Amino acid sequence: MTSFIILVHLAPVVVVIIAWFWFREKPTFAILAALVMAITGAALLVQSGRASAAPRNALIGDIASIAAAFGYAGFILATKRARAFAGAGLVSFVSASACCLFCLFFALIMGESLWPSSAHGFLMLALMGIVCHAFGQGISAYAIGSLGASVTSIVLVYGVAVTVAGGWVFFGEVPNLTQAAGGALVLAAVMLCRPK
């Protein structure tokens, strides 16, 4: 699980490199330093959750994680490009519609249920749609148009710290010193790369 989270959060590295060549967003020293700090902080945040032994399917998981990092980077870069022609609302709507059709196709092929089996499941699904997608990705699409792809990708690493904080508040999972140091690094990275 740890390697999955760390590898997925390598997306900012891909974004910074491609944005440099594609959008001519030359990374400043502050962005490069923030990138290193954010990735290091994310690694520290999830370090305490690593398994003592690697599972048998670790390689498949790592490959999937790298693919997810490139997919997430592709989303950020495509959104950056689309924001040059349309507003954040339209970009988010088109992105959500395309993803919905893609996921529906695979859900039907795999025989997955398309309706929650309980009221609690429906509530969780609704919250994911409202909080994670509509709010989270909507704000991300807006930010990408204002801040640029590189800075936004680094700021989005802050989600790992928010997850750890949420685990503390809602589930009583008190972060250890390593996780606290990781959270501080991610916060420092966000402060370092933000526009002056």
Side-chain angles (χ1 to χ4, degrees):
M1 183 65 172
T2 302
S3 62
F4 168 79
I5 297 174
I6 295 171
L7 289 171
V8 166
H9 281 89
L10 290 179
V13 177
V14 179
V15 170
V16 168
I17 292 171
I18 295 178
W20 185 358
F21 293 101
W22 191 8
F23 300 125
R24 299 293 184 252
E25 289 185 10
K26 186 175 181 179
T28 62
F29 175 78
I31 286 179
L32 293 175
L35 181 63
V36 172
M37 291 166 63
I39 298 301
T40 303
L44 290 174
L45 278 164
V46 299
Q47 183 63 23
S48 64
R50 69 184 171 89
S52 55
R56 288 182 299 175
N57 59 350
L59 179 59
I60 295 173
D62 289 344
I63 292 171
S65 301
I66 293 169
F70 275 89
Y72 191 40
F75 163 76
I76 293 171
L77 293 165
T79 301
K80 167 65 177 175
R81 183 68 175 166
R83 286 286 279 114
F85 305 100
L90 179 58
V91 170
S92 296
F93 176 76
V94 172
S95 171
S97 299
C99 290
C100 182
L101 291 174
F102 182 81
C103 291
L104 176 62
F105 174 75
F106 280 98
L108 291 174
I109 287 178
M110 299 176 71
E112 296 288 339
S113 173
L114 299 179
W115 194 258
S117 59
S118 66
H120 180 264
F122 187 83
L123 176 62
M124 294 300 103
L125 186 62
L127 285 174
M128 283 179 60
I130 294 168
V131 177
C132 300
H133 186 78
F135 180 74
Q137 289 194 315
I139 294 296
S140 298
Y142 178 80
I144 289 169
S146 305
L147 300 176
S150 298
V151 173
T152 304
S153 67
I154 294 170
V155 171
L156 290 176
V157 176
Y158 196 62
V160 185
V162 173
T163 301
V164 172
W168 185 7
V169 172
F170 295 109
F171 303 111
E173 298 174 357
V174 181
N176 58 34
L177 289 177
T178 302
Q179 290 173 317
L185 264 178
V186 172
L187 178 59
V190 170
M191 299 302 292
L192 180 61
C193 73
R194 69 189 177 94
K196 303 297 187 285

